[in-house]
Amino acid sequence: MTLIAFNSPCARRPFTLAAPRRIWAGRILTGAGLALLPWMGYLAGTLPPAEAAAWMALDTVEAACLLIAGTRLLNGRSGHRAAAAAAAVLLVTDAYVDVATAGPGSELLGAIAMAVGAELPLAALCGVLAARAVR
């Protein structure tokens, strides 16, 4: 009986992302990667040199992963999953460290707002894209 269930023609097919969703996801990831570029310039100009170097290194790798995954999705090419997975991990790490190192008051509120409003939703999208195939 088990063999019949596993070989059933009605077995679930893996979820794949349709072309319009693939294009929108690619636009979101590419836009987020491009948005990090001026942000890195802002960090370089406002933070002390040692902190700026650390944050710029993290944001550079985040931007690269987002741009790789986004452009591969937009072009309909495979290979976006590893970059999306790496971006998801980096975005969650970035959100955690931002909140953990923020000072009290408005700095903490800003870090929480960025984490909840941008970094964690983008990490969730990247996680979904990393786990699912694209048509």
Side-chain angles (χ1 to χ4, degrees):
M1 191 66 150
T2 304
L3 183 59
I4 293 170
F6 284 130
N7 292 326
S8 171
C10 297
R12 280 186 358 151
R13 292 184 308 194
F15 176 83
T16 56
L17 197 60
R21 290 183 183 156
R22 176 184 51 81
I23 291 170
W24 276 106
R27 287 179 182 168
I28 290 169
L29 295 184
T30 303
L34 291 174
L36 280 172
L37 300 178
W39 176 250
M40 288 187 287
Y42 171 77
L43 291 177
T46 58
L47 293 176
E51 287 182 37
W55 283 112
M56 286 181 59
L58 176 64
D59 287 344
T60 299
V61 178
E62 278 179 21
C65 290
L66 289 169
L67 288 170
I68 289 169
T71 55
R72 286 185 177 273
L73 283 169
L74 284 173
N75 294 330
R77 295 181 2 200
S78 62
H80 70 280
R81 295 171 78 177
V89 170
L90 291 168
L91 286 162
V92 169
T93 303
D94 192 354
Y96 171 76
V97 174
D98 279 345
V99 172
T101 60
S106 64
E107 189 177 339
L108 180 60
L109 288 175
I112 292 171
M114 280 295 291
V116 172
E119 293 164 337
L120 295 178
L122 193 56
L125 173 62
C126 288
V128 168
L129 291 171
R132 295 184 176 169
V134 173
R135 282 190 247 188

